[in-house]
């Protein structure tokens, strides 16, 4: 199992009890062991370092990046108009798909 360390930038509470949590992924980790303590999920984790790839692996990564970006934009466009409006109001427009997903050390902006 793997996970992402998130930085919480903002929390908006809705009248019905739900909340919108605005986060940014900071780093990834591999779960070595997990359990419960005092009713909370806990885990022993190991940081993961990105490895830059070249050649065929880079081409495959760029194809995957483009395909996942297209899937994400299609999903957003399939939502009801009022939901899309709330997403845009809160987060702004989705960033463009970068041609090289390895260019940013934090991964693609989208």
């Amino acid at each position: 199992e793997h996970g992402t360390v998130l930085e919480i930038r903002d929390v908006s509470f809705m009248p019905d009890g739900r909340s919108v949590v605005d986060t940014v992924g900071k780093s990834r980790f591999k779960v070595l062991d997990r359990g419960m303590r005092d009713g909370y999920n806990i885990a022993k984790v190991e940081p993961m370092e990105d490895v830059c790839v070249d050649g065929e692996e880079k081409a495959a990564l760029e194809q995957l990046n483009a395909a996942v970006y297209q899937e994400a934009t299609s999903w957003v466009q399939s939502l009801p108009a009022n939901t899309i409006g709330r997403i845009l109001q809160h987060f702004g427009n989705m960033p463009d798909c970068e041609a090289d997903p390895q260019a940013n050390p934090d991964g693609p902006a989208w």
Side-chain angles (χ1 to χ4, degrees):
E1 294 181 44
H2 298 86
T4 303
V5 174
L6 298 176
E7 175 186 328
I8 299 173
R9 299 190 317 181
D10 188 38
V11 180
S12 300
F13 297 97
M14 304 298 172
D16 64 2
R18 294 179 298 151
S19 58
V20 175
V21 182
D22 181 8
T23 64
V24 175
K26 290 306 219 179
S27 61
R28 294 179 298 135
F29 58 84
K30 179 179 181 179
V31 177
L32 303 175
D33 189 30
R34 62 186 183 141
M36 295 283 288
R37 182 182 303 152
D38 299 327
Y40 292 95
N41 290 306
I42 60 169
K44 182 176 182 179
V45 301
E46 175 180 84
M48 293 177 59
E49 297 294 326
D50 287 334
V51 176
C52 287
V53 294
D54 292 319
E56 289 181 17
E57 287 181 302
K58 183 176 181 184
L61 176 63
E62 290 167 352
Q63 278 187 313
L64 178 62
N65 181 58
V68 174
Y69 181 86
Q70 180 58 48
E71 186 73 25
T73 54
S74 294
W75 175 77
V76 170
Q77 292 169 357
S78 75
L79 297 171
N82 64 333
T83 302
I84 294 172
R86 289 194 316 243
I87 290 171
L88 291 175
Q89 182 180 21
H90 187 80
F91 296 105
N93 291 325
M94 188 165 174
D96 292 332
C97 183
E98 295 96 335
D100 181 3
Q102 299 181 103
N104 182 345
D106 295 325
W110 60 270

